[in-house]
Every structure is written in C-alpha cells, then in structure tokens.
Amino acid sequence: MAPPAPVPPVNPSGSPHSPPPSHTATVAGVPVDTRHWIGGERLASASATAPATFTDHSPIDGAPLAEIARGGVAEARAAVVAARDAFPAWAATPPAERARLLHAVADGVEARAEDLAAVETADNGALLRSHRRGVMPRVAHNLRYFADRLLALAHDDFETRGHTNHVSWDPAGPAVLITPWNAPLMLASWKIAPALAAGNTVVLKPAEWTPLTASLFADIAHEAGLPAGVLNVVQGYGAEVGEPLVADPDVRRISFTGSVPTARRIAAASAAHLVPCSFELGGKSPLLVFADADLELAADLAVEQFDNAGQICLAATRILVEESVRDAFLGHFLDRVTKLTQGDPRDETTDIGPNIHPRHVERVDGFVRRALDAGAKAVTGGGRNTALGGNYYLPTLLTDVAQHSEIVQEEVFGPVLTLQTFPDGDEDEAVRLANGTRFGLAATLATGDRERAGRVSARFVAGTVWVNCFFVRDLSAPFGGSRDSGIGREGGDWSFDFYCDLKNTVTAPKGWARHG
Ligand code: ADP
C-alpha cells in the first residue's frame, strides 16, 4: 500500500521539518507580536499560495528585525468584516464612554512610551530622543485631544419659521487608515483618534517598512479595554493588502497619507463605492527669506528641514532668498550645517540619522546625481555619508538649479535642499517661484515686516503657512494640502466632519401629542 500523501502545512512558512514560526520578535529588547490584529485576535496570514511573512529591516544597520505577517485579500476582508460587525455597538457607545476609553489608551501609550520610542527608532531610524520627548507624548496627546473634542462637539441650532435645525455628527462606519513609514505611530494616532472618538471602527494598515509600533498599539488598546473589532491592524504590502482594503464595499471612509501615485490608485478604487477619501500627500514647500528677515532665525528654519533626515512631507525644501542677502544667509546656514552630527539615531547627540531603506537612498541619490549632471552645485553634501555607509545621506544644499528642473519640481524626501534667489524687492517673483510647483502643502517665510507677512501669506497656495517659525501647529487647526498635496483637511472639528455623516434634524414647533 502506498504511504499517505503528506498533509500540506496550513501556514506555509512553517515546513514540517522546521520549528513552527515564532509570532514574537524581540526588537530593542521589546517583544512585538508580528501577526495581524483582527476582531480582537492575533492571526497569522492564511493564504496557501503566497508567502506568509515578509522581513522587516532596520534602517540603522540593515539588520533584519522581524518576520511580519504578510496580509492579502483574505486578511483585508476579515479585518473589514470585524470592523463592520463591531460598528453598531461602538457607534451606540455613549460618547463619554468612548472618550474614557481613548484616554485609557493614551495612559497605556504613556506607560509604554519608552518601549514605543525604542521600537520606532529601530524600525524607521528617526531620532530616539525625538521619539521619546516629542513623538510618543504627541501620540498620547492626539488620543486625549480628540476624546475631549468629541465631548465638546456642537453646533448652534438654526431656526426657520419656528422650526429648529439641529446638526449632529453620525459615525460613518468602518474607516480604513493607511499610513506611511516616516512618522508611523504619530500619523496612525492622528487618524485613529478622531475616527474612533466619532464612533467609527478602524482598520489600520501601517507601511510595510515600519510595521512594529502599530502592533504594540493594538496590544495597548486591547489592554485599555477597547472592544474586539473596534481597532484592527493588518500588516503587509500596499499592492497585496492595501488594495483589497480600499476596494472593500463595507468600508465607509479612507484616510491615506503617502505618495501621489498611490493616492490616485486609492481614489480610483474608492470610486466604485463612492467612499469619501482624505489624502495627505507630498510636498515641495518653499522657505522664503526676505532681506528684512532675521537671518539667524532664517538659517535655523532652513536647517530644521533636515529633521528626520528630510523625510517630512511638510519640509520646506526649496529655499528662496532675496538676492542681496544670499551670501549672508548662506554663511549662517553653512555654520549650522557643519555643527550637525550625523550617526546612530539612538545616540543623544545625533542630529541626523539614516534614511529609511537602501532603495529609498538610491532614489534620493538619483535626484541629486541628475541635478549635478544638469549643472547644480553642491555647496554642502551631495552624496552618501561614506564614513557611515548604509542608509546615511549627507545633508545637502544644491545651488544653480532652475525653477523647471526636476530637483526643484519633484519631492526628494531626503536631506536635500535647493537654494534659488529672487531679485531684490520683487515680491511678485518670490511668490511666483514659491507657488511654482504642482504641490501646495505648506509654505514658510522669514521676514521682519508684518505687512509683508500678511500680503505674501495670502498669496501662497498652501494648506499651512508658517511665518518666522516652522512645524508648530494646534490640533484644532485644519491640516492638509492643495493641488497634488492632497484632498480634504483633518484636524479639530474638520476631522469629525470627515469621519462622520453630518445630519440635520428639522423639528416643527407644532404637532406634539398632548398629555394629561
Ligand atoms: P511611499 O512611496 O512613500 O512608500 P506609498 O504611497 O507607496 O508611499 O505608501 C504609503 C502607504 O500606502 C503604505 O502603507 C503602503 O503600503 C500603502 N499602499 C501602497 N500602495 C497601495 C495601494 N495600491 N492601495 C492601498 N495602499 C497602498
């Protein structure tokens, strides 16, 4: 008799001869579950045909960090169904109770801030000190802010011929949140907080290069008491699990932060079910330096654009300086650049860490090479930091660049700035250059003249304008971009407007039953 055929493994990554795959990776000393979080359960990928995991590497040294569950159509659907099924009960949960739970999640984030910071730095290479002191406190703040804002959400009634018109915010349903790798948990919490506060349920898909803190966040939310299915996390590649998520008929909102080509694909997919999308995309924002500016301050603002190794969508990467102060400004700028320390993002003294991935560094370098070939000059930087190797790219400033050139028009998303000048006193030309790309995310200007600041700000095509400052922003203010930088605004009540279906209830003054 022939021996029986071997039973194929349920989880293809675990061959019959190798030990079953571990579902926990230890990253920076912190155990992280590498599976999806769907319907209140940890799940590995179930596909019998596709690989069950992918490898997540650290940008710091390229070391493999974890084997992450690689989601596909089945996991996307399971997560949306879990969110759909959990929606009625969560939507019916009194706002005060939803707010209480979000504050409990914020408590959990604060309690595990050190773990979150260490894991985030290992995974995306941004500075540990900024994760500790800026980012993780901000994640908790995002949750608390929207919990409190929910309870204050109100609009005055309108009145028409004695009829009251009462406005209310109804949660829309399951929301798919797709996030990028440059600020993983910060951006996830910026979307999760208002979506959950409003009474929606959520499927979060973090970027495949930075999947880890989303998994820790799922644990924290669970431990804080968030009901099963209210928050789901699916891991994997955009093309494999992102696409079925945004095409799912049970999804009611999509919030996406990422690249323009991906936004176009999501918009096309969401059109099938007319699902509203909020897109926060790239930028090529200007920093205008007028001759009347405090040039020391202007140079500080310029150097700030190297934060996160230039991987910030808001970064003002195009410096536009009034001709007569070009050299003075450049002197202050170069003074500061020479004092920057590049190195391991876990060191307290490091100012600039690595970029995210060898493929991304290749792309950044491609932009710089082509610009240099076209006649640009690197006043500082201009290539990889060969002393450090790996993903470390020198902070770079390119001059002699033309307005129509690729380096001025396209988002590089690395530590690469360009410098152009405008003629003395020519505010019109300054504004023309500033607005002269297909983006419209932000604009920064340095000037000592209050009236000029008002005039020029009013002419910028930009979602956010900073005058003599950068990056400061109140969570109540609208945030988003114009043109190719995005669609819609989130922040404050604008977030609730997006995640909710607004309702107007008109009540007549008469027609009430008489009692007694
Ligand atoms: P980047 O080029 O900076 O990685 P992307 O726009 O490709 O930016 O990625 C941002 C996020 O979008 C990631 O979570 C990624 O997995 C996801 N994504 C990529 N392609 C798609 C897609 N077709 N549908 C849905 N999500 C996607």
Side-chain angles (χ1 to χ4, degrees):
M1 196 175 117
V7 178
V10 176
N11 181 341
S13 79
S15 95
H17 306 295
S18 62
S22 160
H23 296 305
T24 304
T26 301
V27 176
V30 180
V32 184
D33 200 305
T34 55
R35 292 169 292 179
H36 314 288
W37 174 251
I38 297 175
E41 283 177 34
R42 287 288 175 186
L43 295 171
S45 284
S47 166
T49 50
T53 62
F54 65 96
T55 308
D56 176 34
H57 294 90
S58 177
I60 300 174
D61 54 6
L65 294 175
E67 286 297 315
I68 303 290
R70 181 168 166 175
V73 172
E75 290 73 29
R77 182 62 190 154
V80 174
V81 167
R84 183 198 67 191
D85 293 349
F87 174 65
W90 182 244
T93 301
E97 175 59 9
R98 293 203 301 263
R100 188 192 66 75
L101 280 165
L102 287 180
H103 277 290
V105 179
D107 292 343
V109 166
E110 281 163 2
R112 296 204 63 191
E114 280 296 310
D115 287 352
L116 290 166
V119 170
E120 196 83 295
T121 290
D123 208 10
N124 90 331
L127 300 186
L128 182 59
R129 65 178 151 95
S130 88
H131 281 148
R132 273 187 176 144
R133 285 172 222 147
V135 174
M136 295 313 158
R138 168 65 190 274
V139 168
H141 181 57
N142 283 341
L143 295 159
R144 295 192 193 288
Y145 170 82
F146 284 105
D148 294 344
R149 192 67 222 154
L150 165 73
L151 299 180
L153 205 56
H155 198 291
D156 290 345
D157 286 351
F158 302 101
E159 201 182 302
T160 316
R161 297 193 309 274
H163 296 59
T164 52
N165 290 236
H166 179 72
V167 178
S168 55
W169 284 258
D170 289 358
V176 163
L177 312 179
I178 299 190
T179 47
W181 43 261
N182 63 322
L185 196 55
M186 210 314 275
L187 288 171
S189 63
W190 163 248
K191 298 177 190 297
I192 290 170
L196 291 186
N200 303 285
T201 50
V202 159
V203 178
L204 169 68
K205 204 227 51 89
E208 51 269 38
W209 284 347
T210 54
L212 300 177
T213 48
S215 181
L216 292 177
F217 187 84
D219 291 340
I220 291 168
H222 175 59
E223 282 155 23
L226 208 67
V230 169
L231 170 72
N232 306 277
V233 178
V234 287
Q235 304 283 9
Y237 294 111
E240 293 178 359
V241 73
E243 275 195 26
L245 275 178
V246 296
D248 195 293
D250 285 316
V251 168
R252 296 314 315 146
R253 289 293 184 277
I254 297 168
S255 177
F256 168 75
T257 302
S259 65
V260 177
T262 301
R264 291 194 208 288
R265 278 198 288 277
I266 294 175
S270 68
H273 308 292
L274 294 178
V275 178
C277 294
S278 169
F279 290 152
E280 199 265 281
L281 311 175
K284 191 72 185 178
S285 301
L287 162 59
L288 269 72
V289 181
F290 285 95
D292 57 24
D294 173 345
L295 294 183
E296 300 263 2
L297 171 70
D300 286 338
L301 295 176
V303 171
E304 256 191 81
Q305 311 308 322
F306 292 133
D307 282 0
N308 209 13
Q311 301 165 140
I312 297 179
C313 54
L314 291 162
T317 48
R318 294 184 295 131
I319 303 173
L320 302 170
V321 57
E322 198 163 347
E323 187 66 53
S324 58
V325 293
R326 176 195 187 271
D327 293 349
F329 166 80
L330 199 52
H332 292 306
F333 174 81
L334 292 174
D335 268 0
R336 283 158 175 75
V337 173
T338 51
K339 292 188 187 113
L340 293 175
T341 306
Q342 187 162 34
D344 189 323
R346 294 164 297 187
D347 290 347
E348 270 290 310
T349 53
T350 296
D351 299 304
I352 301 185
N355 287 104
I356 184 75
H357 193 277
R359 250 191 356 252
H360 185 66
V361 178
E362 200 51 48
R363 186 169 179 275
V364 169
D365 194 50
F367 279 116
V368 173
R369 296 287 116 222
R370 290 190 293 278
L372 293 172
D373 288 346
K377 293 193 177 58
V379 188
T380 184
R384 291 177 168 84
N385 187 329
T386 46
L388 293 169
N391 296 336
Y392 295 81
Y393 205 85
L394 287 168
T396 295
L397 179 72
L398 301 176
T399 61
D400 300 80
V401 293
Q403 176 71 9
H404 65 267
S405 65
E406 180 192 60
I407 196 72
V408 170
Q409 293 295 324
E410 298 298 326
E411 185 177 46
V412 175
F413 224 58
V416 178
L417 310 179
T418 56
L419 185 124
Q420 298 167 269
T421 57
F422 56 89
D424 288 337
D426 197 345
E427 219 172 82
D428 287 347
E429 177 64 359
V431 171
R432 190 188 71 77
L433 293 172
N435 286 337
T437 73
R438 63 195 164 90
F439 295 104
L441 191 55
T444 300
L445 81 149
T447 176
D449 181 339
R450 216 177 266 278
E451 281 176 21
R452 188 202 299 281
R455 259 192 330 267
V456 173
S457 299
R459 296 176 68 188
F460 282 141
V461 179
T464 303
V465 174
W466 281 290
V467 180
N468 294 329
C469 60
F470 179 66
F471 219 68
V472 196
R473 191 171 69 79
D474 194 287
L475 294 194
S476 298
F479 178 75
S482 307
R483 305 201 286 214
D484 270 12
S485 291
I487 295 178
R489 297 290 182 271
E490 294 189 46
D493 292 357
W494 289 275
S495 291
F496 289 107
D497 288 353
F498 171 68
Y499 287 109
C500 293
D501 289 324
L502 278 126
K503 179 187 282 167
N504 180 26
T505 304
V506 185
T507 306
K510 55 186 183 192
W512 301 105
R514 279 181 235 275
H515 295 288

